[in-house]
Every structure is written in C-alpha cells, then in structure tokens.
Amino acid sequence: MKSLIALVCLVAAVDYCLADHVCGPLQRLKVKRQWAAAYGSGSGRQDFGHYIWAHVFQHSPVARDMFKRVRGDNIHTPAFRAHSTRVLGGLDMCIALLDDEPVLNTQLAHLAKQHTTLGVEADHYATLEHAVQMGVENSIGSEVFDQDAWKPCLKVITAGIAGN
C-alpha cells in the first residue's frame, strides 16, 4: 500500500513539474487573457511596442542591423513604429489563435515563409520572447504575470515561425 501511495505521489509530482513546461489549454487561456490586458488598445500599444523593442535592442544591439529597412537605428521613427505595429499585430493574431491549433499552424506557416529569407536565427527569437515577457510583466505586474504559461506558449509561436 505504501508503494502505491508513493507511486501516486511521484506521478502527481512529475505531472505538476511538467505542467509548468507545456502550453496546455489552461496556459493558452492565461496567455490570451494576460496579453489582452498588456497589449491594450490605442496609443498604449505603441508604448508597449516601444518597451519591447527597446528591450530587444538593449539585449541584442546587433539585432538593429536586421531592421535597417525600417529604421531600426531609431525606434521613434514612423517607419519603425509602423513595423512594431505589424509585428505586434501578428503576435496578437497568433496569441488569439492559441486555442485554435489548425488555424494557428496555418498562420505560423505563413509567417515562417516570410521569415525564412530574413536571416532570423534562434537566438533572435529567444531575445524577442524574453522582451515580450518583460513587456507583459511590466504592463500587468509581476504579481499576476505567469512566466510558466508564457514561456512554453511563446515557444509554440516562435518555433512555428522559425519552421521548427
């Protein structure tokens, strides 16, 4: 009997630990809800985007080179703000589709085609993932931000765009 109880406890503990590293239905809903609160509307979206891109370029200054066409050297320009709006709009769409995997996968395949010729590497996606998480946490507060939901769910999106 003790062995059975120990086995049940072990399975529950493993399940609990693994739950923090999956983008399951509950994590997807949490990410969608937290994103909606953070992304907001109107001019707040530009401020949110500014925070994210400032974080990206602070942690990866060479990433600016990837954005020469849209003035990555100055994130205050209309060209870069428009680019930020497009990127966050695409991310917004992907997050909205987290609970509709067939449509999400189609969207990610479309984005993958766009990004394959741009020279985006794995570490670039990791930098963006981190910046998005920091932006959401900054916006909604660290007491409600759930990194254990965000990390795997952003990985679903970026891996899909990377074609993995």
Side-chain angles (χ1 to χ4, degrees):
M1 184 65 168
K2 287 182 182 180
S3 297
L4 180 62
I5 292 172
L7 179 62
V8 169
C9 289
L10 178 63
V11 168
V14 168
D15 184 52
Y16 175 78
C17 290
L18 291 177
D20 288 344
H21 304 291
V22 298
C23 183
L26 293 177
Q27 289 84 1
R28 291 170 190 249
L29 289 173
K30 184 173 268 190
V31 165
K32 287 176 70 163
R33 184 177 190 96
Q34 290 185 357
W35 174 258
Y39 190 46
S41 62
S43 64
R45 288 183 175 182
Q46 282 194 358
D47 296 339
F48 183 66
H50 178 86
Y51 183 93
I52 289 171
W53 289 105
H55 191 86
V56 165
F57 295 140
Q58 176 185 0
H59 292 276
S60 181
V62 297
R64 288 184 187 274
D65 294 340
M66 294 180 60
F67 300 98
K68 287 180 181 176
R69 185 182 57 82
V70 293
R71 295 286 319 270
D73 63 313
N74 183 351
I75 63 176
H76 301 284
T77 63
F80 194 84
R81 290 195 334 249
H83 175 73
S84 174
T85 300
R86 287 189 298 274
V87 171
L88 292 182
L91 182 57
D92 181 53
M93 185 183 306
C94 291
I95 290 172
L97 293 170
L98 278 171
D99 57 357
D100 190 349
E101 283 193 67
V103 179
L104 173 63
N105 291 336
T106 301
Q107 176 63 11
L108 293 174
H110 173 77
L111 291 171
K113 282 183 192 175
Q114 291 179 333
H115 287 79
T116 54
T117 60
L118 298 176
V120 183
E121 299 173 7
D123 59 325
H124 297 131
Y125 289 112
T127 300
L128 183 62
E129 289 169 17
H130 185 258
V132 168
Q133 289 179 73
M134 294 297 95
V136 172
E137 182 178 13
N138 182 64
S139 182
I140 67 172
S142 59
E143 62 281 348
V144 290
F145 175 71
D146 187 351
Q147 184 179 20
D148 290 335
W150 274 93
K151 212 169 187 176
C153 288
L154 274 179
K155 189 60 73 188
V156 166
I157 294 169
T158 59
I161 296 170
N164 297 335

